[in-house]
Amino acid sequence: MSHTARPASLHRLLMAVACLTGIASCGGDEMFGPRGATASGNYVWNLPPGFPTPEVPADNPMSVEKVELGRHLFYDTRLSGNGSMSCASCHEQARAFSDGRLVGIGSTGEAHPRNSMALSNVGYASVLNWANPNIIELEKQALIPMFGEHPVELGLSGREAELLRRVRVDTTYLRLFAAGFPGEAEPVSVATITKALASFERALVSGNSPYDRYKFRNERTAISESAKRGEALFFSEKAECFHCHAAPIFTGSVSYVGKTFREQEFFNNGLYNLGGTGAYPANNVGIHEFTGRPEDMGAFKAPSLRNVAVSAPYMHDGSIATLEEVVDHYARGGRLITTGPNAGDGHLSPYRNGFITGFEATAQERLDLVEFLRTLTDSTFLTDRRFSNPWPNGRNPAP
């Protein structure tokens, strides 16, 4: 989710698509219960221990059929204008649904200003993009990569009719849409496509890491002694990591059933301080782009650390390559760039968040922190066939 549509253009985009497609309500019949209970319809969450029940919009209840439809759409290159990319092109399962690049690359080859965010546990996210406080629903977020123009991602702007035509001629989709949206007079629409994609993304729950087995299943040897020391440091007031990356999702921007309010947190972590003014590169100023407030300069969402070891590079612009460098960055309390157009000392930024103070850490303590972060890798999630490419032999259908 490197998606960075500008505020005004985003509003116009959402309004245009809503008018064009007549986004319809399916009617909801959720039956939320205790953790792990069936959420709605025939869908059973089977949540890991310690995980709350994700929120689901009333007009898009979960169903097995919709999740399966969404999986097909997620891996389908016909969802790009030139047929070259699918959602999975920037969100690879083996990388926790990130892509390993510094920044996302769209279907036309345009480089995006931001890194593709991992999607594990995205159903718990109270805000979905790096620095857009207005995009809080997966259904609306899906419109941005499909139809956004700044930057171009899947490149479908102005090609909505072509998209629907491509989908409607596929016999697999005729069956899947009818099953996913049985009450719709016209099951194939932009609205149902985005609802199915959102349902698949909500199903991407990851909670079977060695740390989960250690923490919630009392498997005391599931993580190393080094990782246990790293855990203690991570949750200490010395390192302060947990303030922005709270368990069990390991981000502060979360929402779920029973939570009293949706937390949205954005932080300036001292990555840049151009010219000593606190400024960030002009194409990446954080939520300052929306609020215009000086104190919001360089404030970005703290992403989930689930599966963080496989989702490098790091930060909103992919400018830190390894977990070791990430730990060094926070131990220093900001990044020092000595030369070039981005020169400046992030530690001295007037907008650096108060939790990013830096801390003394021995070489062993830094290794312990990294070892702990590696215990958050859920290898079963990365290979779960329910989330894999469903098309025969993993091929992408021709547009």
Side-chain angles (χ1 to χ4, degrees):
M1 291 188 181
S2 60
H3 326 302
T4 54
R6 298 295 186 263
S9 61
L10 172 61
H11 177 73
R12 289 195 298 270
L13 165 69
L14 295 176
M15 291 300 295
V17 174
C19 292
L20 174 68
T21 60
I23 294 176
S25 170
C26 295
D29 62 348
E30 285 97 329
M31 296 173 59
F32 293 109
R35 177 194 59 74
T38 298
S40 61
N42 63 353
Y43 192 82
V44 178
W45 284 106
N46 287 323
L47 295 168
F51 275 49
T53 303
E55 288 184 327
V56 178
D59 66 348
N60 191 25
M62 294 288 283
S63 74
V64 172
E65 293 80 7
K66 253 188 287 188
V67 171
E68 183 62 10
L69 169 59
R71 182 167 73 117
H72 281 72
L73 293 165
F74 188 88
Y75 285 95
D76 193 340
T77 57
R78 287 173 293 187
L79 265 68
S80 60
N82 59 15
S84 66
M85 293 183 67
S86 67
C87 303
S89 300
C90 293
H91 298 285
E92 304 171 23
Q93 183 179 9
R95 299 178 187 272
F97 295 95
S98 62
D99 68 0
R101 301 188 184 101
L102 269 65
V103 295
I105 304 294
S107 60
T108 59
E110 180 180 1
H112 300 175
R114 294 178 191 153
N115 179 260
S116 297
M117 200 180 297
L119 299 184
S120 47
N121 298 312
V122 69
Y124 292 102
S126 59
V127 62
L128 294 165
N129 292 5
W130 282 105
N132 187 336
N134 303 315
I135 302 301
I136 61 174
E137 295 177 3
L138 286 166
E139 289 80 359
K140 291 179 179 171
Q141 192 283 329
L143 295 169
I144 297 176
M146 293 170 68
F147 301 106
E149 297 176 327
H150 306 290
V152 172
E153 299 189 44
L154 294 172
L156 286 167
S157 179
R159 306 177 72 164
E160 291 84 356
E162 180 181 351
L163 165 66
L164 297 179
R165 189 164 55 249
R166 291 177 183 177
V167 172
R168 285 171 178 155
V169 299
D170 188 297
T171 56
T172 299
Y173 277 136
L174 291 179
R175 173 177 55 82
L176 292 174
F177 272 93
F181 297 94
E184 295 286 341
E186 176 46 79
V188 181
S189 68
V190 172
T192 54
I193 288 173
T194 58
K195 285 181 176 181
L197 285 169
S199 296
F200 173 66
E201 291 172 327
R202 286 194 179 92
L204 299 176
V205 175
S206 173
N208 189 35
S209 68
Y211 181 69
D212 292 300
R213 299 199 298 274
Y214 165 74
K215 188 69 176 180
F216 299 110
R217 301 171 201 169
N218 202 32
E219 296 182 22
R220 308 311 297 172
T221 60
I223 68 174
S224 68
E225 292 303 314
S226 173
K228 292 174 185 175
R229 293 192 300 269
E231 178 202 20
L233 187 54
F234 183 93
F235 288 104
S236 73
E237 296 295 344
K238 174 180 175 179
E240 309 271 22
C241 310
F242 71 98
H243 290 294
C244 305
H245 297 283
I249 309 302
F250 287 89
T251 176
S253 293
V254 295
S255 192
Y256 46 79
V257 174
K259 190 167 177 50
T260 53
F261 61 95
R262 298 176 66 89
E263 291 183 81
Q264 290 190 359
E265 298 180 340
F266 300 91
F267 304 91
N268 178 319
N269 67 358
L271 203 60
Y272 295 100
N273 181 16
L274 273 59
T277 65
Y280 268 48
N283 65 341
N284 252 332
V285 297
I287 60 168
H288 175 79
E289 178 181 353
F290 290 84
T291 69
R293 296 184 304 194
E295 61 268 30
D296 288 335
M297 173 59 68
F300 291 88
K301 173 184 174 179
S304 170
L305 298 183
R306 290 274 176 182
N307 300 297
V308 68
V310 300
S311 60
Y314 306 107
M315 306 297 162
H316 67 276
D317 56 0
S319 60
I320 296 184
T322 69
L323 286 177
E324 288 80 2
E325 293 173 47
V326 170
V327 170
D328 289 344
H329 165 76
Y330 285 111
R332 188 182 182 279
R335 181 168 63 180
L336 175 62
I337 300 176
T338 57
T339 61
N342 294 329
D345 188 348
H347 183 68
L348 301 179
S349 169
Y351 307 125
R352 176 174 50 83
N353 186 272
F355 288 127
I356 316 298
T357 57
F359 55 91
E360 294 291 333
T362 66
Q364 183 61 55
E365 287 176 321
R366 295 179 191 225
L367 289 174
D368 292 342
L369 270 174
V370 171
E371 188 67 14
F372 167 65
L373 293 172
R374 287 178 174 150
T375 70
L376 299 176
T377 301
D378 176 358
S379 58
T380 59
F381 174 75
L382 304 179
T383 57
D384 193 326
R385 294 183 60 183
R386 296 175 302 161
F387 308 139
S388 65
N389 190 336
W391 296 100
N393 301 316
R395 69 173 175 81
N396 289 313

